[in-house]
Amino acid sequence: SVRTVWVNIMISAYLMPALIKNDPTIKPTGKELLLQFLALTVVGDFGLYWGHRIQHEFTSLWEKYHSIHHSVESPSPMSTGHIHSVDTTLQVGLPGLVAAILVQPHPLSYYLYSCTQTCEHVMNHSGLDDNLIDLLTLKFLPLRGNIAHHDYHHKFCGYAGRAKNFGETFWVWDWLFGTLAVTSKVRK
């Protein structure tokens, strides 16, 4: 559920002082904020890709956890929260925590990352595949997974096994690891 996503984020934020060694009272420069945000996004999405993929490839994870999310036939913003807490932890909590440990961001950068990722997941389940949406969400940028990319996953990959299009923010992980099903709007 969305509540579980935020619990994962809050747990990560609570652990940050012990895991991240920078001084949170010193505000990051604009450049530091942007670089930390971008690094968190890349590292976190890489982790999400694998957290998502293993739930399709291991039948027990699929049957107990991830199939709940795929039980919604037509993705919508509300279906973003139709997800088991273990699924949320594998796709959001652990990747976000690992990204924070590796990147060592300022808390402000981490909060920005957490909020934008929540919006990303909601938009990816909106079904609103439109140029204006792509502009507003920066999905027009190179290597960005658009809404059609994730819609394909929900339409054709509601099963355990060799599914396609696991990436949320970037399609490049699917390309690198052989799980890309090209939609008509993939941007290179």
Side-chain angles (χ1 to χ4, degrees):
S1 72
V2 173
R3 179 180 62 207
T4 306
V5 171
W6 283 103
V7 167
N8 273 291
I9 291 167
M10 292 298 114
I11 290 170
S12 297
Y14 179 76
L15 292 174
M16 284 180 68
L19 301 172
I20 297 176
K21 305 303 179 203
N22 59 26
D23 184 353
T25 62
I26 300 172
K27 291 183 180 164
T29 66
K31 181 180 177 181
E32 290 170 331
L33 183 87
L34 179 62
L35 290 175
Q36 290 172 2
F37 170 76
L38 291 174
L40 286 165
T41 301
V42 170
V43 173
D45 194 58
F46 181 75
L48 181 148
Y49 169 87
W50 284 104
H52 190 184
R53 183 174 174 173
I54 66 167
Q55 291 186 83
H56 278 270
E57 294 194 356
F58 289 89
T59 305
S60 61
L61 290 174
W62 168 261
E63 290 174 351
K64 292 180 183 177
Y65 310 117
H66 193 57
S67 65
I68 294 168
H69 181 65
H70 277 270
S71 69
V72 177
E73 289 186 24
S74 180
S76 71
M78 294 304 292
S79 69
T80 305
H82 188 70
I83 188 168
H84 192 281
S85 57
V86 170
D87 190 347
T88 304
T89 300
L90 290 172
Q91 289 194 63
V92 179
L94 290 176
L97 187 59
V98 169
I101 291 168
L102 293 175
V103 174
Q104 295 288 301
H106 186 276
L108 189 59
S109 303
Y110 186 76
Y111 299 146
L112 176 64
Y113 161 73
S114 298
C115 290
T116 58
Q117 287 305 294
T118 301
C119 292
E120 178 86 12
H121 299 310
V122 170
M123 289 308 300
N124 282 345
H125 292 88
S126 72
L128 300 173
D129 191 23
D130 182 81
N131 289 335
L132 179 59
I133 299 297
D134 288 351
L135 178 67
L136 294 173
T137 59
L138 304 180
K139 289 183 175 290
F140 65 89
L141 294 173
L143 308 180
R144 290 277 281 134
N146 58 25
I147 292 168
H149 179 79
H150 197 68
D151 277 353
Y152 179 97
H153 175 78
H154 273 271
K155 186 172 183 177
F156 299 111
C157 301
Y159 55 85
R162 304 233 15 140
K164 301 287 185 186
N165 293 7
F166 299 110
E168 285 266 348
T169 303
F170 303 107
W171 58 261
V172 70
W173 313 126
D174 288 300
W175 176 76
L176 280 171
F177 300 110
T179 58
L180 179 65
V182 178
T183 62
S184 63
K185 290 181 66 177
V186 169
R187 289 175 187 81
K188 296 182 179 169

